Amino acid sequence: MIFLRPLIRNYSNLLSTTAKVFKPITPDVSTISCTVVDINGTVRAVSKKFSRATFLQQNKLFPRDLRKIDSSNVDVAPSIAVRSNGILVNLLHIKTFIKRNEVLIFDTASPEAAGRLSLFMYDLESKLKTRVVHSGMLSTNNAYNHGLNQPFEFKVLECVLVNVMAILETELREHVSKVEGILNELDSQIDRGNLKDLLVYSKALQMFYQKSLLIKNTLDELLDNDEDLESIYLTENYEIKQMIVDDEDTKTSPHQHQQLANRDTGEIEMLLEAYYKQCDEIVQQAETMLNDIKSTEDIVNIILDANRNSLMVFELRVAIFTLGFTIATILPAFYGMNLKNYIEESNIAFVGIVSSSLVMGALMSVIYLRRLHKLRRMSMISSKQLDKFDENTKQGLLESIRLRKAATTVDKRRKLEKEVVWKWLMGNHK
């Protein structure tokens, strides 16, 4: 994590200064375009075009491998495929074929991916021109020292993984900063605009999570494949095969074959495990953020449901009071008609009608408000009703058991009587 901070911090600056290295290309169905970098970090060719058939034949690849290096398709599932003479890497924007003495970086049709490839080229050239020995000393000598320096294929593969993890770290920080800002605003106030932004950001974070998880699974599959781990040692495999060819007439060939078969893959395993753990941390952080979004959405839904229920209760209360007021106006409406009602001369008729109307309206409102209060209770039946139901159920069970025992006793008695009669008949017959 620490050695990625300078690369992440200077990502925008390096991208602006090296954006001219790679430019988007127009995809061609008949050719493959790539940039060739040798073992010393020197660019041998830029956007060199190869015929697809020729390229497959020269590099001993399969036709199905063309999909992994297709420049027109950026969103291909990540993969690290080990072949007999190279490593075919397809991670995010980087599509490359690593050989023992050179690396082929395939061009892209995406402007954004081209800018990121420029950053990768900048980092790759600097690492290939700097020799790091196992003792920790630096060497600027261009001569390759197999006993001290890290193999070329390991350097390129590590550079690819460093760049990919840096991109994932950068994207994760952007997603986290956006999502945390929205979640903090939702904690204080539920706003429609914030909910809409949270939906958009959660979809983007979900896509990032799936992308990171695929890269993690790719590294995991490679670590579980011992045959691929042994084949990754391109330089060592080539040297051992050359020794076997040179000494094929001697008796040392079986020993060389045994040396090739019993190779220690600890170095490449340590390299891959380091970046696997880092990718796993990124996946876990993204998953944690998705869980936070899910929890916030659940809480918001609960709050909105509670508000919706409160609004429905308020509307029901208004409807009940409206019903009571309507009932209260029925009686005055009858007496307000231009018909003779025989109480026009009474001194208490007005007070009696108004009082009766108010009592009827209030009584109707109280009755329905009580029913509404009962409906709002969480339990469907009261505790007394539940105890009564349990008691009735218990009595019913006891009664059924008693009847069953009685029926069993009657059956036994009848059976015994039949046996006695049968024995008596058999005795008389004898």
Side-chain angles (χ1 to χ4, degrees):
M1 298 292 288
I2 298 177
F3 61 84
L4 285 180
R5 291 176 182 174
L7 184 59
I8 299 173
R9 185 168 52 250
N10 300 327
Y11 172 73
S12 58
N13 297 332
L14 291 175
L15 190 58
S16 61
T17 57
T18 59
K20 297 181 180 179
V21 176
F22 270 88
K23 294 183 179 180
I25 64 169
T26 303
D28 189 358
V29 295
S30 60
T31 60
I32 295 176
S33 178
C34 63
T35 299
V36 183
V37 181
D38 64 7
I39 194 171
N40 297 318
T42 305
V43 179
R44 296 297 184 184
V46 177
S47 298
K48 185 177 180 181
K49 295 185 179 297
F50 296 91
S51 172
R52 290 178 177 252
T54 304
F55 181 82
L56 293 177
Q57 184 178 4
Q58 290 179 353
N59 297 282
K60 299 180 181 179
L61 297 177
F62 301 102
R64 62 176 179 270
D65 295 330
L66 291 176
R67 184 176 180 273
K68 301 175 183 178
I69 59 178
D70 187 8
S71 59
S72 61
N73 192 0
V74 180
D75 298 328
V76 181
S79 62
I80 300 178
V82 182
R83 298 295 181 252
S84 59
N85 63 332
I87 308 170
L88 194 60
V89 180
N90 176 23
L91 296 177
L92 295 183
H93 56 282
I94 301 177
K95 299 179 180 181
T96 180
F97 185 62
I98 306 172
K99 298 182 179 181
R100 64 176 183 85
N101 56 358
E102 64 179 4
V103 55
L104 281 65
I105 305 168
F106 300 96
D107 298 332
T108 179
S110 172
E112 182 181 1
R116 293 181 175 181
L117 279 178
S118 302
L119 173 63
F120 170 68
M121 281 294 300
Y122 180 89
D123 188 46
L124 178 63
E125 291 179 6
S126 62
K127 280 185 170 58
L128 292 180
K129 291 179 179 179
T130 303
R131 303 300 181 187
V132 182
V133 298
H134 287 250
S135 61
M137 300 176 57
L138 296 179
S139 173
T140 57
N141 185 11
N142 289 335
Y144 177 73
N145 191 337
H146 175 72
L148 296 178
N149 291 314
Q150 190 181 24
F152 171 75
E153 60 271 16
F154 287 9
K155 284 187 176 183
V156 178
L157 182 59
E158 184 172 11
C159 186
V160 171
L161 294 175
V162 167
N163 188 267
V164 169
M165 297 304 160
I167 297 297
L168 292 179
E169 285 280 352
T170 304
E171 292 183 2
L172 179 62
R173 290 186 179 184
E174 294 177 357
H175 289 299
V176 169
S177 61
K178 293 178 181 178
V179 172
E180 285 184 348
I182 297 296
L183 294 180
N184 293 332
E185 293 180 3
L186 288 175
D187 289 340
S188 58
Q189 182 181 2
I190 299 178
D191 184 68
R192 182 177 180 181
N194 290 336
L195 292 176
K196 183 178 179 181
D197 294 338
L198 182 63
L199 177 62
V200 175
Y201 293 151
S202 63
K203 290 182 178 178
L205 184 60
Q206 182 67 31
M207 293 177 61
F208 171 79
Y209 169 76
Q210 294 294 337
K211 178 172 60 177
S212 304
L213 184 61
L214 288 175
I215 295 176
K216 172 190 170 184
N217 293 337
T218 299
L219 296 176
D220 189 22
E221 291 175 1
L222 184 59
L223 284 169
D224 292 339
N225 196 329
D226 296 335
E227 184 178 354
D228 286 347
L229 291 177
E230 294 178 357
S231 301
I232 287 179
Y233 288 80
L234 302 176
T235 304
E236 186 174 349
N237 290 343
Y238 175 78
E239 293 179 354
I240 293 178
K241 290 179 181 178
Q242 288 297 115
M243 294 175 61
I244 294 175
V245 171
D246 294 340
D247 300 336
E248 60 181 358
D249 295 333
T250 64
K251 296 182 179 180
T252 59
S253 293
H255 175 71
Q256 298 294 344
H257 283 288
Q258 185 178 4
Q259 181 181 359
L260 180 62
N262 298 329
R263 180 183 297 104
D264 183 16
T265 59
E267 184 178 359
I268 187 63
E269 289 181 1
M270 292 177 61
L271 188 148
L272 293 175
E273 285 177 358
Y275 293 99
Y276 171 81
K277 292 179 180 178
Q278 185 176 348
C279 188
D280 184 54
E281 292 177 2
I282 295 174
V283 171
Q284 290 181 2
Q285 292 180 16
E287 186 177 5
T288 302
M289 189 57 59
L290 287 174
N291 293 334
D292 293 341
I293 294 176
K294 181 63 176 176
S295 301
T296 303
E297 290 177 350
D298 293 340
I299 294 173
V300 170
N301 290 331
I302 293 173
I303 295 175
L304 293 178
D305 290 340
N307 293 338
R308 191 181 302 109
N309 293 336
S310 299
L311 182 60
M312 292 175 61
V313 171
F314 176 75
E315 292 177 351
L316 288 174
R317 287 177 177 175
V318 172
I320 290 173
F321 283 117
T322 304
L323 177 63
F325 181 78
T326 303
I327 294 176
T329 59
I330 290 178
L331 189 60
F334 288 153
Y335 285 96
M337 293 187 295
N338 295 327
L339 299 174
K340 189 175 180 179
N341 50 34
Y342 305 102
I343 59 173
E344 290 87 350
E345 304 298 332
S346 177
N347 295 327
I348 62 173
F350 177 78
V351 176
I353 292 174
V354 171
S355 301
S356 300
S357 301
L358 293 177
V359 170
M360 290 173 60
L363 183 62
M364 185 63 64
S365 300
V366 170
I367 291 174
Y368 280 99
L369 286 176
R370 287 185 176 180
R371 291 186 178 182
L372 178 63
H373 180 69
K374 291 181 180 179
L375 291 175
R376 292 185 62 190
R377 290 181 179 179
M378 297 298 293
S379 60
M380 298 299 295
I381 56 177
S382 63
S383 58
K384 293 182 179 179
Q385 292 174 340
L386 184 62
D387 294 339
K388 186 177 180 179
F389 175 77
D390 292 340
E391 186 65 25
N392 293 335
T393 304
K394 186 184 295 183
Q395 291 180 359
L397 290 175
L398 292 176
E399 184 67 19
S400 62
I401 293 173
R402 187 184 64 79
L403 293 175
R404 188 179 302 172
K405 288 183 178 179
T408 304
T409 304
V410 172
D411 292 340
K412 288 183 178 180
R413 186 180 302 170
R414 289 179 179 177
K415 185 177 180 181
L416 182 60
E417 291 177 355
K418 290 181 179 180
E419 291 180 354
V420 172
V421 172
W422 178 256
K423 289 180 180 179
W424 179 76
L425 292 175
M426 291 297 294
N428 290 340
H429 179 70
K430 290 180 179 179

